[in-house]
Structure formats: C-alpha cells, structure tokens
Amino acid sequence: SLSWVRLVGMAGIPASDLGSVNSEGDAIHRANLARSTFGIDGTGAKVGVISDGAVNAVQAGATGDLPAIQVNALGSGDEGTAMLEIVHDLAPGASLAFSSGNGGSANMILSQNWLANTGLCKIIVDDLWFPREPYFEDGPVATNAANLVTLQDVVYFTSAGNRAERHTQQNFVDGGLRPIGTAGNFRAHRFGANDYTLDLLSLGERERLDE
C-alpha cells in the first residue's frame, strides 16, 4: 500500500566466489579462463600443500579466503597459508590438505607420504628446499617424491626457488685433489676463485672446513 514499493521478495543472500583478495596468479596462469571455458574448478580433486606452516589458516577461512582444510602438521609460519589461498583461488572447487615440512628431510618425507596415503591427495605441491641435499643427483626428498609419482600416480610440483639470478653457471674449475675420508681423493669444482669453502665438497669435508 506504500507508493514507493515496487517489489516484495525474499532477502538476497550474498554469495562470493572469492575471498577478500584474489591471487594475481589466477590471471597470470589463466586459470580464470580455464574455469570459464571448460567449466572446471577443481571439483573432485584434492591438493596437498607442504610448506613451513599454516598457523593462520583458520583466520583465512573466516575471511572466505580458504575452505575447511585437512591438516596433519600445522608447523610454524604462514607461507603454507598463502600457498593454500593461491590454490583455492585457482581451483576453488578442490579439497585441500596441509602438512608442514619443517624439521628436516625426514619430516618432509613424512609429510609427502601422509598427504599421498592418508590425505589421499593426487596433487602435491611444496616450496621447500634443503641445503644438505646432493647437488647433482636426487637426495631422499626428491627420490621419495619421484616414487609417489611413479608408484602411486601422484602429480608432484616443487618450487624452483625465488632466487632469480642467484645461481652459478660455469665450466669446471679444477680445485685440486681433496680427500673424502677413506674413499680417497677427488677433484673438486671451485665455485669461487679464492674461497675454498665454496668448493664442491662432501658433507664431512665441508663441516671440517667450517669448523
């Protein structure tokens, strides 16, 4: 009966496809186009994330940036929270799980196996690196990840590092014969012209020089 009333209906409940902030990676990787073009959003997939920690994942859920997450080891820090948010932005329909890789390579391997075997994640991503892993061959962490791929049909992604140009590319520079305990001598590559601590050494020899 009021002159200014034009429509009476149910109250509209706001719906949001995104949280408070949408990752720039969504557009960079064209995931937004993939979702709209192919009608897929990750539904039916489960993604496992390994990083330092996800201590504020619950708070991120309160802002709509994350759904409920299956957690094994919460860890410390929030790089894992950020990674989970990025995955959720790119594939909002996917289920998520997290396990911290803090504590060394053994804990990293435990997290890999937990996500694959208990979390049942077919996609696992991590952004951790271990300075004690071998230079020119796969160490325990990489070997275990490769086994998950080849034996359990897991898709595994690991970060190449955010180090930009902080790397070395050079021909072999003979650093001379260096001992490796009872294994005899070997010729080391000298990374730095006058810095023997940068030679490619075995773990024991590196620690001896550091002392």
Side-chain angles (χ1 to χ4, degrees):
S1 63
L2 300 176
S3 61
W4 45 266
V5 174
R6 294 292 180 267
L7 176 68
V8 176
M10 296 292 293
I13 305 301
S16 175
D17 293 327
L18 303 172
S20 58
V21 177
N22 187 31
S23 167
E24 292 184 7
D26 190 37
I28 291 173
H29 292 292
R30 299 185 178 181
N32 56 337
L33 296 178
R35 291 194 303 273
S36 61
T37 302
F38 303 110
I40 55 175
D41 65 356
T43 298
K46 190 171 185 180
V47 181
V49 172
I50 305 175
S51 189
D52 59 351
V55 297
N56 286 305
V58 173
Q59 289 86 331
T63 63
D65 286 295
L66 282 179
I69 300 165
Q70 185 181 11
V71 177
N72 174 43
L74 195 60
S76 60
D78 265 312
E79 196 161 331
T81 304
M83 291 175 65
L84 289 162
E85 290 182 9
I86 292 171
V87 173
H88 182 56
D89 285 346
L90 271 62
S95 301
L96 299 176
F98 178 81
S99 187
S100 173
N102 283 352
S105 57
N107 279 0
M108 180 69 171
I109 290 171
L110 288 174
S111 286
Q112 291 173 331
N113 292 339
W114 184 88
L115 289 170
N117 299 319
T118 302
L120 301 179
C121 300
K122 285 300 184 181
I123 302 170
I124 299 176
V125 58
D126 81 71
D127 70 341
L128 299 178
W129 65 282
F130 294 87
R132 294 298 189 187
E133 290 286 290
Y135 278 95
F136 301 119
E137 62 181 316
D138 287 341
V141 173
T143 300
N144 190 67
N147 288 338
L148 294 178
V149 172
T150 57
L151 301 179
Q152 297 183 229
D153 198 29
V154 171
V155 181
Y156 197 102
F157 299 91
T158 187
S159 169
N162 299 322
R163 292 169 183 79
E165 297 179 356
R166 288 188 292 167
H167 68 281
T168 182
Q169 181 175 339
Q170 56 190 182
N171 294 325
F172 177 74
V173 178
D174 193 344
L177 287 173
R178 310 303 294 272
I180 312 181
T182 60
N185 297 328
F186 79 110
R187 292 197 173 274
H189 172 67
R190 182 179 297 175
F191 287 101
N194 299 306
D195 190 347
Y196 282 93
T197 63
L198 291 177
D199 288 349
L200 181 58
L201 305 172
S202 68
L203 176 59
E205 178 72 357
R206 171 69 64 83
E207 289 176 343
R208 186 185 67 79
L209 285 178
D210 288 344
E211 293 172 356

